[in-house]
Amino acid sequence: RFGDVEAILLLQQRYVDGLRTLAWQPVGTPAEGAATEGLSTLEFWQAVYRANVLLLAGRTDAAAQCLDRAATFAWSAPAHIHQLDFHLTRALSLAAQLGASPAPTAVSEAAWQTLRADARRLRQWAQANPQTFTDKALLVEAELARLEGDALTAMARYEQAIAHATAHGFVHVMAMAHERAARLCAEKALGSAA
C-alpha cells in the first residue's frame, strides 16, 4: 500500500470539492495498513490548497493562517508549481487584508514587505516564462497599485491580466482579475463599469 500516494490523491479530491463548494473538508488519513511518511511537501500542498479555497470563499484571515503554515513547509518544494500558488495566494490574501485595515501597524508593514516580495518574485518568473506567469504578476501588481491609491494603473493592470489570462487559458486568474476590477470600480462609484 502506498499511503502517501493515497493522501495526495485524497488531497486533490478535497481541493476540487472545495473549489466547487467553497468549503474545505479535512483530508483525513489514508486507508488502514497503508505505509505513510510525514511528507513536508504534502503539508505544504494541503496548506496552499486550503488557503486557495478559503481566499475564494472570502475568508482572508483563515487563508492567511494557512499560508503562514505553508510558509514553514515551502522549503520542501523549491521548484514545484505549487510555489506559484503559494506566492499568488499569499499576495492576494495580504492585499485583501491590507485593503481592509484602517491604519498602518507594525504587522501591516511586514505584510507590505511580504506582498512586495511576492510581487517581485512573480515578475521575475514572468520574465523567465511569460506565458505562464505574466497574468499572475499583473494581477498582483494591480492589487499593489490599488492599495497605493493609483486606481488608473490598477485598472490598466487588471485589464492586462484579464487579456493575458484569457489568451492563455487561465480562466481562474481572469475571473479573479474581473472580480477585483469590478470591486475597484464599485469603490470609485463607477457602477456601470463594475
Side-chain angles (χ1 to χ4, degrees):
R1 309 265 329 206
F2 300 96
D4 293 332
V5 173
E6 289 179 25
I8 291 168
L9 293 173
L10 185 58
L11 173 61
Q12 291 171 338
Q13 180 185 21
R14 292 294 186 264
Y15 182 51
V16 171
D17 290 344
L19 291 174
R20 278 192 287 221
T21 64
L22 296 182
W24 184 259
Q25 299 299 320
V27 174
T29 57
E32 188 163 329
T36 62
E37 294 179 23
L39 286 178
S40 300
T41 307
L42 181 63
E43 292 292 330
F44 175 66
W45 293 342
Q46 179 168 284
V48 170
Y49 284 165
R50 184 169 185 224
N52 273 318
V53 170
L54 291 168
L55 178 65
L56 292 172
R59 299 180 54 204
T60 54
D61 290 338
Q65 289 177 348
C66 287
L67 292 162
D68 287 343
R69 177 164 174 74
T72 65
F73 294 104
W75 61 268
S76 67
H80 200 277
I81 194 64
H82 287 86
Q83 288 288 337
L84 167 62
D85 295 327
F86 170 66
H87 290 284
L88 176 62
T89 304
R90 184 169 67 177
L92 296 176
S93 295
L94 288 170
Q97 288 180 312
L98 288 166
S101 160
T105 65
V107 173
S108 68
E109 184 53 39
W112 272 103
Q113 289 175 3
T114 302
L115 174 55
R116 286 188 177 107
D118 285 341
R120 282 190 303 274
R121 177 162 295 193
L122 290 167
R123 177 49 56 199
Q124 289 170 347
W125 289 342
Q127 290 168 344
N129 184 340
Q131 185 172 335
T132 301
F133 297 105
T134 297
D135 55 330
K136 289 92 172 163
L138 288 165
L139 177 56
V140 172
E141 290 164 359
E143 287 290 273
L144 273 170
R146 177 186 63 81
L147 290 169
E148 292 167 347
D150 187 351
L152 188 57
T153 297
M155 287 305 297
R157 294 291 183 275
Y158 289 133
E159 287 293 322
Q160 292 167 339
I162 290 164
H164 193 278
T166 301
H168 298 287
F170 296 112
V171 292
H172 63 297
V173 176
M174 178 189 66
M176 289 188 292
H178 272 294
E179 288 173 348
R180 283 161 177 77
R183 232 178 276 141
L184 179 58
C185 286
E187 288 172 13
K188 300 296 181 190
L190 301 170
S192 60

